[in-house]
Amino acid sequence: MFGAVVVGLGVAGSVRVRDMLAPLPGSAAEKLALKGFVSRRTLEQGGVEQVSVSDALSRDDIAAAFVCTENESHEETVRQFLEAGKHVCVEYPMTLNYKAAVDLWDLAEEKGVVLHEEHIELLTADFKWLKEKVEGQKLQEGTLHFTGGSLKPRFGFLAFSGIARLTWLVELFGELSVNKATLEDDQSNGYSKMTAHLLTADHRPLTWIEERGPGLPRAKNVHFKFDSFTLTEVPAPASRGAVGLFMQDLVLFGAKLEGHVPRATLQTEKTRILHCLSLAQRIQDLCQE
Ligand code: NAD
């Protein structure tokens, strides 16, 4: 068994607590035992012990940490737990700059522990549907336009906070490069819009837009033009599935802790995560030039 703590009890952290208290029977999620949670507020959480970060770092019965705070504090918290020789599951994005992510990965390898970045967007029914549709197709050009409410404070630049959309694009179309990127930012009205012009390996244009502002519906609009058809809609999934997305991610993290995920799979995942973070960094740099 791997004793674990959850750091940050917001939306994601509360789901982590819930899932570890009732793991999917017969799955690797059962290998995690919730030992406590870290919060800046004093909270009652179903009999689970509230612990300080320093306790969590030093206790021998705590082997893993779930980092579920706002994006801005991920890097520092992940580093502390890795330094202490603990396994880490961090909600995406791991960091708000590329170089820090490379350093954290090196640190995890040096310490011989698992560093896992959650990517529930790849487990969704709409992503699986898209992946199947796109398989074997030749893209001519495409756009992914995400809209949502104003970005919460401490979630970082749009290219990082929206890494889930970029991860979709990379998983669907392979490694990308950044051609151009621009930002419209009206902070006083909580509005921001990032437009990144990307290129696939065979120079097909892909545009990624993250647009956030008060009252904007949470939606992903796609327009992917292939040789034989154009995809403009992802149908709403018929059902939400029997196993929740965070639970599926917990099972994956548990399997990594048990050493049941092949080395090649881990390497492919790491390459994709660092590639996406390097694109996000390049987009941010171009927007801020
Ligand atoms: P949230 O704002 O609901 O939760 C963040 C929590 O962390 C807050 O309760 C805050 O008080 C707490 N916190 C901040 N600093 C802390 C500290 N030093 N010690 C203890 N607690 C601290 O945000 P969220 O939606 O749960 O998102 C958290 C992370 O999960 C983000 O990285 C986000 O990208 C990722 N994520 C969220 C979802 C989702 O559905 N909400 C999905 C995928 C990934």
Side-chain angles (χ1 to χ4, degrees):
M1 292 298 285
F2 297 88
V5 284
V6 173
V7 185
L9 281 195
V11 178
S14 304
V15 175
R16 294 304 192 175
V17 167
R18 184 198 70 193
D19 285 354
M20 266 188 280
L21 291 176
L24 182 68
S27 79
E30 287 188 318
K31 296 291 172 204
L32 284 146
L34 184 60
K35 297 289 179 187
F37 68 88
V38 177
S39 177
R40 291 170 300 184
R41 300 161 286 168
T42 303
L43 289 175
E44 174 47 45
Q45 193 70 28
V48 181
E49 188 186 352
Q50 180 158 6
V51 297
S52 66
V53 175
S54 54
D55 278 352
L57 290 169
S58 61
R59 268 171 57 170
D60 289 338
D61 64 335
I62 294 175
F66 288 78
V67 178
C68 308
T69 55
E70 295 94 339
N71 299 340
E72 253 178 41
S73 54
H74 287 184
E75 178 187 337
E76 188 45 37
T77 312
V78 171
R79 181 171 290 112
Q80 284 180 312
F81 279 95
L82 293 178
E83 291 276 12
K86 314 288 186 194
H87 305 288
V88 172
C89 168
V90 54
E91 312 297 350
Y92 67 69
M94 175 178 300
T95 59
L96 292 176
N97 79 82
Y98 169 67
K99 188 175 174 307
V102 174
D103 290 347
L104 291 182
W105 226 297
D106 288 348
L107 181 58
E109 276 164 16
E110 185 192 313
K111 294 284 180 179
V113 293
V114 171
L115 174 57
H116 170 75
E117 186 180 65
E118 163 267 311
H119 277 284
I120 55 169
E121 78 282 9
L122 298 179
L123 307 171
T124 58
D126 41 357
F127 178 73
K128 288 178 183 160
W129 182 90
L130 253 181
K131 181 90 180 152
E132 218 178 283
K133 282 273 171 203
V134 166
E135 203 71 55
Q137 300 295 331
K138 224 171 156 348
L139 181 78
Q140 286 188 4
E141 57 175 325
T143 302
L144 172 59
H145 182 171
F146 172 83
T147 59
S150 303
L151 197 60
K152 293 194 276 185
R154 307 189 64 224
F155 273 72
F157 185 74
L158 287 165
F160 285 93
S161 63
I163 203 87
R165 269 69 72 188
L166 187 54
T167 304
W168 261 30
L169 292 177
V170 167
E171 276 286 314
L172 292 172
F173 303 114
E175 291 213 344
L176 304 170
S177 55
V178 187
N179 196 20
K180 196 179 147 197
T182 55
L183 177 70
E184 280 172 55
D185 197 11
D186 179 0
Q187 282 187 6
S188 56
N189 289 311
Y191 177 82
S192 50
K193 182 179 181 184
M194 179 201 81
T195 304
H197 299 276
L198 309 166
L199 288 173
T200 64
D202 53 357
H203 302 284
R204 298 296 167 179
L206 254 184
T207 306
W208 169 34
I209 303 168
E210 285 277 309
E211 185 177 17
R212 288 192 166 266
L216 285 178
R218 195 175 170 86
K220 286 190 216 78
N221 302 290
V222 298
H223 192 277
F224 297 138
K225 189 163 184 253
F226 299 100
D227 283 350
S228 50
F229 70 102
T230 300
L231 208 153
T232 55
E233 214 176 9
V234 182
S239 80
R240 302 193 81 195
V243 182
L245 299 174
F246 278 101
M247 183 66 87
Q248 293 179 45
D249 181 69
L250 192 63
V251 172
L252 176 57
F253 182 53
K256 287 183 180 178
L257 295 182
E258 287 192 288
H260 289 169
V261 178
R263 223 171 222 294
T265 308
L266 295 174
Q267 185 55 47
T268 305
E269 205 180 283
K270 173 182 168 184
T271 303
R272 187 207 68 227
I273 289 170
L274 288 178
H275 175 62
C276 289
L277 291 170
S278 75
L279 292 173
Q281 183 72 62
R282 176 84 186 123
I283 293 168
Q284 177 173 356
D285 292 347
L286 285 172
C287 286
Q288 292 177 346
E289 250 172 26

